[in-house]
Amino acid sequence: MESISTTAATATFITPEEVLQHWQGHRDLTRRLIVAFPEEQLFNYSIGGMRTFAEMAQELISIAAPGVIGIVKGTWEKLDHDRPSFSSKKELLERWDEATEVINEYWPKIKPERFHEQEKAFGQYDGTVYSSILYFIDNEIHHRGQGYVYLRSLGIEPPFFWDRP
């Protein structure tokens, strides 16, 4: 019987390009969620002590592009997502789009063997490179779900969660 690690290294379930396409589908959906928010509620509305969606979006921006750059370069900046680096929805969307461009620029530079290497993402999270990437995606889905709750509580229909390119 073949070992799991050998199988993982030789079997291809999904290519790096398909992972990027999947992630960008989620990023596009999250962007449409941001667009659906009224400006004031984006920065001031929360439920049950959760952060505002602008603060959650700042976290996602702080992880995505810097995460891919860290994977490519093997060096990591400290994760800093405490306060939004924008003060309007327009600025948030600009930062979101800039991060998307950086991801698209750096993603092809990830060497295939790199996905299975151990890494300490942002200098604090041990795991494989692919587990970090999956975390980046999972974290975005998690926070987008919180954004859906916010929009529904405001009486706003969010974009369909399955409607991803």
Side-chain angles (χ1 to χ4, degrees):
M1 179 173 216
E2 199 171 3
S3 75
I4 292 174
S5 62
T6 303
T7 303
T10 59
T12 302
F13 167 70
I14 187 169
T15 67
E17 294 78 17
E18 291 166 328
V19 172
L20 176 61
Q21 181 181 7
H22 178 79
W23 187 12
Q24 292 296 24
H26 281 289
R27 289 184 57 75
D28 177 72
L29 181 54
T30 302
R31 189 185 194 286
R32 286 185 281 135
L33 186 82
I34 295 165
V35 168
F37 261 91
E39 181 112 14
E40 183 177 333
Q41 283 78 12
L42 182 63
F43 289 91
N44 298 310
Y45 189 73
S46 70
I47 296 174
M50 293 191 300
R51 295 176 289 166
T52 67
F53 197 70
E55 291 169 318
M56 292 179 208
Q58 176 63 45
E59 176 183 321
L60 300 176
I61 290 169
S62 297
I63 289 172
V68 174
I69 291 170
I71 289 167
V72 169
K73 293 184 174 183
T75 57
W76 295 83
E77 294 181 14
K78 184 178 182 242
L79 188 58
D80 181 23
H81 58 74
D82 293 332
R83 307 201 67 178
S85 61
F86 42 81
S87 58
S88 69
K89 185 185 338 185
K90 179 181 182 285
E91 285 182 81
L92 165 53
L93 292 169
E94 288 170 357
R95 298 280 186 311
W96 191 265
D97 294 343
E98 289 166 5
T100 298
E101 290 174 22
V102 170
I103 292 166
N104 287 336
E105 175 187 345
Y106 277 84
W107 186 270
K109 298 176 185 179
I110 303 173
K111 295 177 180 163
E113 63 275 8
R114 185 88 170 99
F115 290 100
H116 290 275
E117 292 177 3
Q118 290 292 315
E119 190 74 25
K120 193 172 224 171
F122 299 103
Q124 48 189 136
Y125 305 108
D126 285 316
T128 58
V129 165
Y130 78 82
S131 69
S132 293
I133 293 166
L134 293 176
Y135 172 78
F136 302 163
I137 297 167
D138 291 346
N139 189 51
E140 179 173 335
I141 294 167
H142 163 71
H143 288 310
R144 189 173 63 237
Q146 292 171 306
Y148 273 62
V149 170
Y150 284 5
L151 287 179
R152 288 194 180 280
S153 72
L154 292 166
I156 299 168
E157 181 75 26
F160 297 122
F161 75 90
W162 62 83
D163 187 13
R164 296 188 315 267

